[in-house]
mmCIF file with all atom_site columns, all heavy atoms in Angstrom:
data_model
loop_
_atom_site.group_PDB
_atom_site.id
_atom_site.type_symbol
_atom_site.label_atom_id
_atom_site.label_alt_id
_atom_site.label_comp_id
_atom_site.label_asym_id
_atom_site.label_entity_id
_atom_site.label_seq_id
_atom_site.pdbx_PDB_ins_code
_atom_site.Cartn_x
_atom_site.Cartn_y
_atom_site.Cartn_z
_atom_site.occupancy
_atom_site.B_iso_or_equiv
_atom_site.pdbx_formal_charge
_atom_site.auth_seq_id
_atom_site.auth_comp_id
_atom_site.auth_asym_id
_atom_site.auth_atom_id
_atom_site.pdbx_PDB_model_num
ATOM 1   N N   . ASN A 1 151 ? 113.776 108.385 105.479 1.00 69.00 ? 1326 ASN A N   1
ATOM 2   C CA  . ASN A 1 151 ? 113.539 109.779 105.105 1.00 69.00 ? 1326 ASN A CA  1
ATOM 3   C C   . ASN A 1 151 ? 112.625 109.868 103.890 1.00 69.00 ? 1326 ASN A C   1
ATOM 4   O O   . ASN A 1 151 ? 111.811 110.782 103.787 1.00 69.00 ? 1326 ASN A O   1
ATOM 5   C CB  . ASN A 1 151 ? 114.857 110.489 104.797 1.00 69.00 ? 1326 ASN A CB  1
ATOM 6   C CG  . ASN A 1 151 ? 115.698 110.674 106.040 1.00 69.00 ? 1326 ASN A CG  1
ATOM 7   O OD1 . ASN A 1 151 ? 115.229 110.501 107.156 1.00 69.00 ? 1326 ASN A OD1 1
ATOM 8   N ND2 . ASN A 1 151 ? 116.955 111.003 105.847 1.00 69.00 ? 1326 ASN A ND2 1
ATOM 9   N N   . LYS A 1 152 ? 112.770 108.917 102.954 1.00 65.00 ? 1327 LYS A N   1
ATOM 10  C CA  . LYS A 1 152 ? 111.953 108.916 101.752 1.00 65.00 ? 1327 LYS A CA  1
ATOM 11  C C   . LYS A 1 152 ? 110.481 108.702 102.097 1.00 65.00 ? 1327 LYS A C   1
ATOM 12  O O   . LYS A 1 152 ? 109.604 109.359 101.553 1.00 65.00 ? 1327 LYS A O   1
ATOM 13  C CB  . LYS A 1 152 ? 112.436 107.831 100.796 1.00 65.00 ? 1327 LYS A CB  1
ATOM 14  C CG  . LYS A 1 152 ? 111.970 108.053 99.380  1.00 65.00 ? 1327 LYS A CG  1
ATOM 15  C CD  . LYS A 1 152 ? 112.366 106.967 98.407  1.00 65.00 ? 1327 LYS A CD  1
ATOM 16  C CE  . LYS A 1 152 ? 113.741 106.441 98.532  1.00 65.00 ? 1327 LYS A CE  1
ATOM 17  N NZ  . LYS A 1 152 ? 114.073 105.445 97.529  1.00 65.00 ? 1327 LYS A NZ  1
ATOM 18  N N   . LEU A 1 153 ? 110.212 107.803 103.026 1.00 68.00 ? 1328 LEU A N   1
ATOM 19  C CA  . LEU A 1 153 ? 108.834 107.549 103.444 1.00 68.00 ? 1328 LEU A CA  1
ATOM 20  C C   . LEU A 1 153 ? 108.231 108.796 104.068 1.00 68.00 ? 1328 LEU A C   1
ATOM 21  O O   . LEU A 1 153 ? 107.102 109.186 103.735 1.00 68.00 ? 1328 LEU A O   1
ATOM 22  C CB  . LEU A 1 153 ? 108.783 106.375 104.430 1.00 68.00 ? 1328 LEU A CB  1
ATOM 23  C CG  . LEU A 1 153 ? 107.409 106.004 104.959 1.00 68.00 ? 1328 LEU A CG  1
ATOM 24  C CD1 . LEU A 1 153 ? 106.488 105.611 103.821 1.00 68.00 ? 1328 LEU A CD1 1
ATOM 25  C CD2 . LEU A 1 153 ? 107.515 104.880 105.962 1.00 68.00 ? 1328 LEU A CD2 1
ATOM 26  N N   . LEU A 1 154 ? 108.969 109.455 104.941 1.00 70.00 ? 1329 LEU A N   1
ATOM 27  C CA  . LEU A 1 154 ? 108.495 110.696 105.562 1.00 70.00 ? 1329 LEU A CA  1
ATOM 28  C C   . LEU A 1 154 ? 108.250 111.760 104.498 1.00 70.00 ? 1329 LEU A C   1
ATOM 29  O O   . LEU A 1 154 ? 107.234 112.454 104.513 1.00 70.00 ? 1329 LEU A O   1
ATOM 30  C CB  . LEU A 1 154 ? 109.517 111.203 106.587 1.00 70.00 ? 1329 LEU A CB  1
ATOM 31  C CG  . LEU A 1 154 ? 109.247 112.599 107.164 1.00 70.00 ? 1329 LEU A CG  1
ATOM 32  C CD1 . LEU A 1 154 ? 107.966 112.598 107.990 1.00 70.00 ? 1329 LEU A CD1 1
ATOM 33  C CD2 . LEU A 1 154 ? 110.425 113.062 107.991 1.00 70.00 ? 1329 LEU A CD2 1
ATOM 34  N N   . LEU A 1 155 ? 109.163 111.870 103.556 1.00 71.00 ? 1330 LEU A N   1
ATOM 35  C CA  . LEU A 1 155 ? 109.039 112.879 102.511 1.00 71.00 ? 1330 LEU A CA  1
ATOM 36  C C   . LEU A 1 155 ? 107.842 112.604 101.603 1.00 71.00 ? 1330 LEU A C   1
ATOM 37  O O   . LEU A 1 155 ? 107.132 113.527 101.217 1.00 71.00 ? 1330 LEU A O   1
ATOM 38  C CB  . LEU A 1 155 ? 110.327 112.941 101.691 1.00 71.00 ? 1330 LEU A CB  1
ATOM 39  C CG  . LEU A 1 155 ? 110.539 114.190 100.877 1.00 71.00 ? 1330 LEU A CG  1
ATOM 40  C CD1 . LEU A 1 155 ? 110.488 115.443 101.751 1.00 71.00 ? 1330 LEU A CD1 1
ATOM 41  C CD2 . LEU A 1 155 ? 111.859 114.139 100.161 1.00 71.00 ? 1330 LEU A CD2 1
ATOM 42  N N   . HIS A 1 156 ? 107.596 111.357 101.284 1.00 68.00 ? 1331 HIS A N   1
ATOM 43  C CA  . HIS A 1 156 ? 106.414 111.011 100.476 1.00 68.00 ? 1331 HIS A CA  1
ATOM 44  C C   . HIS A 1 156 ? 105.133 111.374 101.220 1.00 68.00 ? 1331 HIS A C   1
ATOM 45  O O   . HIS A 1 156 ? 104.190 111.905 100.624 1.00 68.00 ? 1331 HIS A O   1
ATOM 46  C CB  . HIS A 1 156 ? 106.412 109.524 100.115 1.00 68.00 ? 1331 HIS A CB  1
ATOM 47  C CG  . HIS A 1 156 ? 107.255 109.198 98.929  1.00 68.00 ? 1331 HIS A CG  1
ATOM 48  N ND1 . HIS A 1 156 ? 106.885 109.483 97.643  1.00 68.00 ? 1331 HIS A ND1 1
ATOM 49  C CD2 . HIS A 1 156 ? 108.471 108.607 98.845  1.00 68.00 ? 1331 HIS A CD2 1
ATOM 50  C CE1 . HIS A 1 156 ? 107.824 109.087 96.808  1.00 68.00 ? 1331 HIS A CE1 1
ATOM 51  N NE2 . HIS A 1 156 ? 108.799 108.554 97.521  1.00 68.00 ? 1331 HIS A NE2 1
ATOM 52  N N   . THR A 1 157 ? 105.105 111.113 102.499 1.00 74.00 ? 1332 THR A N   1
ATOM 53  C CA  . THR A 1 157 ? 103.926 111.456 103.309 1.00 74.00 ? 1332 THR A CA  1
ATOM 54  C C   . THR A 1 157 ? 103.714 112.961 103.331 1.00 74.00 ? 1332 THR A C   1
ATOM 55  O O   . THR A 1 157 ? 102.603 113.447 103.098 1.00 74.00 ? 1332 THR A O   1
ATOM 56  C CB  . THR A 1 157 ? 104.094 110.918 104.750 1.00 74.00 ? 1332 THR A CB  1
ATOM 57  O OG1 . THR A 1 157 ? 104.296 109.497 104.681 1.00 74.00 ? 1332 THR A OG1 1
ATOM 58  C CG2 . THR A 1 157 ? 102.875 111.221 105.596 1.00 74.00 ? 1332 THR A CG2 1
ATOM 59  N N   . LEU A 1 158 ? 104.774 113.706 103.607 1.00 75.00 ? 1333 LEU A N   1
ATOM 60  C CA  . LEU A 1 158 ? 104.678 115.171 103.615 1.00 75.00 ? 1333 LEU A CA  1
ATOM 61  C C   . LEU A 1 158 ? 104.302 115.722 102.241 1.00 75.00 ? 1333 LEU A C   1
ATOM 62  O O   . LEU A 1 158 ? 103.542 116.678 102.128 1.00 75.00 ? 1333 LEU A O   1
ATOM 63  C CB  . LEU A 1 158 ? 105.991 115.793 104.082 1.00 75.00 ? 1333 LEU A CB  1
ATOM 64  C CG  . LEU A 1 158 ? 106.298 115.705 105.567 1.00 75.00 ? 1333 LEU A CG  1
ATOM 65  C CD1 . LEU A 1 158 ? 107.704 116.226 105.851 1.00 75.00 ? 1333 LEU A CD1 1
ATOM 66  C CD2 . LEU A 1 158 ? 105.274 116.461 106.378 1.00 75.00 ? 1333 LEU A CD2 1
ATOM 67  N N   . SER A 1 159 ? 104.824 115.097 101.201 1.00 76.00 ? 1334 SER A N   1
ATOM 68  C CA  . SER A 1 159 ? 104.516 115.530 99.846  1.00 76.00 ? 1334 SER A CA  1
ATOM 69  C C   . SER A 1 159 ? 103.031 115.351 99.546  1.00 76.00 ? 1334 SER A C   1
ATOM 70  O O   . SER A 1 159 ? 102.384 116.249 98.993  1.00 76.00 ? 1334 SER A O   1
ATOM 71  C CB  . SER A 1 159 ? 105.362 114.730 98.844  1.00 76.00 ? 1334 SER A CB  1
ATOM 72  O OG  . SER A 1 159 ? 105.144 115.169 97.543  1.00 76.00 ? 1334 SER A OG  1
ATOM 73  N N   . ALA A 1 160 ? 102.475 114.217 99.927  1.00 76.00 ? 1335 ALA A N   1
ATOM 74  C CA  . ALA A 1 160 ? 101.046 113.974 99.716  1.00 76.00 ? 1335 ALA A CA  1
ATOM 75  C C   . ALA A 1 160 ? 100.208 114.984 100.496 1.00 76.00 ? 1335 ALA A C   1
ATOM 76  O O   . ALA A 1 160 ? 99.235  115.540 99.965  1.00 76.00 ? 1335 ALA A O   1
ATOM 77  C CB  . ALA A 1 160 ? 100.693 112.550 100.131 1.00 76.00 ? 1335 ALA A CB  1
ATOM 78  N N   . GLU A 1 161 ? 100.582 115.227 101.732 1.00 76.00 ? 1336 GLU A N   1
ATOM 79  C CA  . GLU A 1 161 ? 99.850  116.212 102.540 1.00 76.00 ? 1336 GLU A CA  1
ATOM 80  C C   . GLU A 1 161 ? 99.943  117.606 101.913 1.00 76.00 ? 1336 GLU A C   1
ATOM 81  O O   . GLU A 1 161 ? 98.969  118.358 101.905 1.00 76.00 ? 1336 GLU A O   1
ATOM 82  C CB  . GLU A 1 161 ? 100.409 116.251 103.968 1.00 76.00 ? 1336 GLU A CB  1
ATOM 83  C CG  . GLU A 1 161 ? 100.099 115.018 104.779 1.00 76.00 ? 1336 GLU A CG  1
ATOM 84  C CD  . GLU A 1 161 ? 100.821 114.988 106.125 1.00 76.00 ? 1336 GLU A CD  1
ATOM 85  O OE1 . GLU A 1 161 ? 101.574 115.950 106.437 1.00 76.00 ? 1336 GLU A OE1 1
ATOM 86  O OE2 . GLU A 1 161 ? 100.652 114.003 106.850 1.00 76.00 ? 1336 GLU A OE2 1
ATOM 87  N N   . THR A 1 162 ? 101.103 117.937 101.380 1.00 75.00 ? 1337 THR A N   1
ATOM 88  C CA  . THR A 1 162 ? 101.305 119.247 100.753 1.00 75.00 ? 1337 THR A CA  1
ATOM 89  C C   . THR A 1 162 ? 100.449 119.392 99.503  1.00 75.00 ? 1337 THR A C   1
ATOM 90  O O   . THR A 1 162 ? 99.859  120.447 99.265  1.00 75.00 ? 1337 THR A O   1
ATOM 91  C CB  . THR A 1 162 ? 102.799 119.468 100.424 1.00 75.00 ? 1337 THR A CB  1
ATOM 92  O OG1 . THR A 1 162 ? 103.560 119.345 101.627 1.00 75.00 ? 1337 THR A OG1 1
ATOM 93  C CG2 . THR A 1 162 ? 103.041 120.835 99.826  1.00 75.00 ? 1337 THR A CG2 1
ATOM 94  N N   . PHE A 1 163 ? 100.346 118.329 98.706  1.00 71.00 ? 1338 PHE A N   1
ATOM 95  C CA  . PHE A 1 163 ? 99.475  118.363 97.525  1.00 71.00 ? 1338 PHE A CA  1
ATOM 96  C C   . PHE A 1 163 ? 98.029  118.630 97.948  1.00 71.00 ? 1338 PHE A C   1
ATOM 97  O O   . PHE A 1 163 ? 97.357  119.475 97.365  1.00 71.00 ? 1338 PHE A O   1
ATOM 98  C CB  . PHE A 1 163 ? 99.532  117.032 96.749  1.00 71.00 ? 1338 PHE A CB  1
ATOM 99  C CG  . PHE A 1 163 ? 100.518 117.024 95.638  1.00 71.00 ? 1338 PHE A CG  1
ATOM 100 C CD1 . PHE A 1 163 ? 101.757 116.430 95.796  1.00 71.00 ? 1338 PHE A CD1 1
ATOM 101 C CD2 . PHE A 1 163 ? 100.202 117.598 94.418  1.00 71.00 ? 1338 PHE A CD2 1
ATOM 102 C CE1 . PHE A 1 163 ? 102.679 116.413 94.766  1.00 71.00 ? 1338 PHE A CE1 1
ATOM 103 C CE2 . PHE A 1 163 ? 101.118 117.580 93.379  1.00 71.00 ? 1338 PHE A CE2 1
ATOM 104 C CZ  . PHE A 1 163 ? 102.349 116.989 93.550  1.00 71.00 ? 1338 PHE A CZ  1
ATOM 105 N N   . ILE A 1 164 ? 97.579  117.926 98.962  1.00 76.00 ? 1339 ILE A N   1
ATOM 106 C CA  . ILE A 1 164 ? 96.200  118.083 99.436  1.00 76.00 ? 1339 ILE A CA  1
ATOM 107 C C   . ILE A 1 164 ? 95.975  119.500 99.953  1.00 76.00 ? 1339 ILE A C   1
ATOM 108 O O   . ILE A 1 164 ? 94.980  120.144 99.623  1.00 76.00 ? 1339 ILE A O   1
ATOM 109 C CB  . ILE A 1 164 ? 95.880  117.035 100.515 1.00 76.00 ? 1339 ILE A CB  1
ATOM 110 C CG1 . ILE A 1 164 ? 95.843  115.644 99.884  1.00 76.00 ? 1339 ILE A CG1 1
ATOM 111 C CG2 . ILE A 1 164 ? 94.567  117.356 101.227 1.00 76.00 ? 1339 ILE A CG2 1
ATOM 112 C CD1 . ILE A 1 164 ? 95.824  114.496 100.875 1.00 76.00 ? 1339 ILE A CD1 1
ATOM 113 N N   . ASP A 1 165 ? 96.910  120.014 100.738 1.00 74.00 ? 1340 ASP A N   1
ATOM 114 C CA  . ASP A 1 165 ? 96.783  121.352 101.305 1.00 74.00 ? 1340 ASP A CA  1
ATOM 115 C C   . ASP A 1 165 ? 96.853  122.450 100.244 1.00 74.00 ? 1340 ASP A C   1
ATOM 116 O O   . ASP A 1 165 ? 96.265  123.519 100.410 1.00 74.00 ? 1340 ASP A O   1
ATOM 117 C CB  . ASP A 1 165 ? 97.864  121.624 102.361 1.00 74.00 ? 1340 ASP A CB  1
ATOM 118 C CG  . ASP A 1 165 ? 97.697  120.753 103.595 1.00 74.00 ? 1340 ASP A CG  1
ATOM 119 O OD1 . ASP A 1 165 ? 96.620  120.144 103.761 1.00 74.00 ? 1340 ASP A OD1 1
ATOM 120 O OD2 . ASP A 1 165 ? 98.667  120.665 104.379 1.00 74.00 ? 1340 ASP A OD2 1
#
Side-chain angles (χ1 to χ4, degrees):
N1326 291 347
K1327 199 183 318 183
L1328 179 60
L1329 171 65
L1330 199 56
H1331 277 285
T1332 302
L1333 286 174
S1334 183
E1336 290 172 0
T1337 303
F1338 266 100
I1339 292 168
D1340 293 346

